[in-house]
Amino acid sequence: MTSGTLILIVLAVVVLGLLLVSLRVVREYERLIIFRLGRLRGATGPGLVLLLPYLDRSVRVDMRVVTLTIPPQEVITRDNVTARVNAVVMFKVADPVSSVMEVENHAVATSQYAQTTLRSVVGRADLDTLLAHRADLNEDLYRSIAQQAVPWGVEVSVVEIKDVEIPEMMQRAMARQAEAERERRAKVISAHGELEASTELRDAAQVLSEAPGSLQLRYLQTLLELGADQNSTVVFPLPMDVIGPVVGALGRMTADDATAQPTRHPTPGAADASPPAEPSRAGAGTAQKDQDHE
């Protein structure tokens, strides 16, 4: 093997090595930010990218949606209740160049700002709003975080409060409040039911009073229902149109007897007349002794 052939082989190996070092394969969901001698050349990809050896430097940026869990934060609500709140943030890189040039680590920056915003937004709300109107708080969190993340080339898609932990004492108080509220609703519903039932019974009584025959049929139906249970007691309901005349006649008879009974009036001067007084036994005895002496 001559020296010329050896040199060609060495050159071919060197060129092949340089090509292997210079080639980059960029996936579909990635972008490659290229710096040549420290100056930004722009973003490239996906596909096969050729870099100048020792002159170009590259930074890979993932364009997929990232799910970021915010650690539980100790928050004091507006009504002075301590709660632990955590949330989830979903975002993706919309501008790969800004995500590299404007911030050192866009994921860490988004996480820290989301924690700060979570404490600030929840601290302005009371406990009832935090538990019952969570959608409004999510909307406030989303607007604040999305607006701050735009200069970093980050697009925030979802911000949701995931869990709220409150003290055990407050949980017991809320349980008692919920129980009292359910009891109140039960009483109100029962009262409305009684009112509707009384209204329906009044209407039914008016309808039955217009047709006496229907009332008699209702009596017979009631007897049939009582006899279906095989009871030893037989109940005979008496309609008021039968008992009413009898009760009225008895009342009139009692009133007539009270009117016909004579009333005794005292005779004037009768109180002054008195029977003659009987002589005392002592006087009678003295008179008898006088007669014997004579």
Side-chain angles (χ1 to χ4, degrees), residues 2-254:
T2 60
S3 58
T5 305
L6 184 59
I7 293 173
L8 290 176
I9 295 174
V10 172
L11 290 176
V13 171
V14 171
V15 171
L16 183 60
L18 291 176
L19 287 175
L20 293 177
V21 173
S22 302
L23 293 177
R24 296 288 186 275
V25 177
V26 182
R27 299 181 180 89
E28 186 69 29
Y29 56 84
E30 293 178 340
R31 296 296 182 269
L32 203 65
I33 310 302
I34 300 175
F35 295 90
R36 179 167 297 172
L37 296 177
R39 297 182 64 86
L40 177 66
R41 294 295 304 275
T44 184
L48 188 64
V49 179
L50 179 63
L51 302 178
L52 297 181
Y54 305 107
L55 298 179
D56 293 341
R57 294 290 184 270
S58 62
V59 178
R60 289 181 181 269
V61 178
D62 198 329
M63 304 289 292
R64 292 177 294 183
V65 176
V66 179
T67 302
L68 179 64
T69 300
I70 302 176
Q73 305 294 312
E74 292 284 347
V75 181
I76 298 178
T77 61
R78 189 173 62 181
D79 49 354
N80 296 325
V81 177
T82 303
R84 290 174 58 88
V85 183
N86 61 351
V88 60
V89 179
M90 301 181 68
F91 65 91
K92 66 178 181 178
V93 176
D95 187 357
V97 175
S98 298
S99 66
V100 174
M101 297 295 296
E102 301 297 333
V103 64
E104 180 181 2
N105 190 325
H106 63 274
V108 175
T110 304
S111 175
Q112 295 297 321
Y113 187 76
Q115 294 178 28
T116 305
T117 306
L118 178 63
R119 289 194 294 268
S120 176
V121 171
V122 174
R124 294 196 300 266
D126 53 14
L127 184 59
D128 292 338
T129 303
L130 180 60
L131 297 177
H133 302 85
R134 194 175 297 181
D136 297 337
L137 298 179
N138 293 335
E139 185 66 23
D140 294 341
L141 286 172
Y142 171 77
R143 287 198 300 266
S144 299
I145 298 174
Q147 183 178 1
Q148 180 63 32
V150 168
W152 302 338
V154 175
E155 179 182 350
V156 179
S157 56
V158 176
V159 179
E160 294 284 345
I161 296 176
K162 186 166 61 174
D163 191 16
V164 178
E165 298 179 6
I166 58 178
E168 185 177 357
M169 184 180 300
M170 184 61 64
Q171 293 180 8
R172 291 196 297 266
M174 294 175 62
R176 291 194 300 269
Q177 179 183 1
E179 184 178 359
E181 178 66 22
R182 289 187 177 91
E183 290 180 357
R184 184 189 67 83
R185 292 180 182 177
K187 292 179 180 179
V188 170
I189 292 173
S190 178
H192 282 295
E194 292 291 338
L195 178 61
E196 293 179 0
S198 61
T199 304
E200 295 295 333
L201 288 175
R202 182 195 62 189
D203 297 340
Q206 292 178 356
V207 173
L208 291 176
S209 63
E210 296 174 358
S214 62
L215 184 61
Q216 187 66 28
L217 291 177
R218 182 59 180 169
Y219 291 155
L220 295 176
Q221 183 181 0
T222 303
L223 288 176
L224 181 61
E225 293 176 357
L226 292 174
D229 296 336
Q230 298 180 359
N231 294 328
S232 59
T233 303
V234 180
V235 179
F236 291 97
L238 295 177
M240 292 301 299
D241 54 356
V242 175
I243 300 177
V246 177
V247 174
L250 292 175
R252 287 192 299 271
M253 291 175 61
T254 304

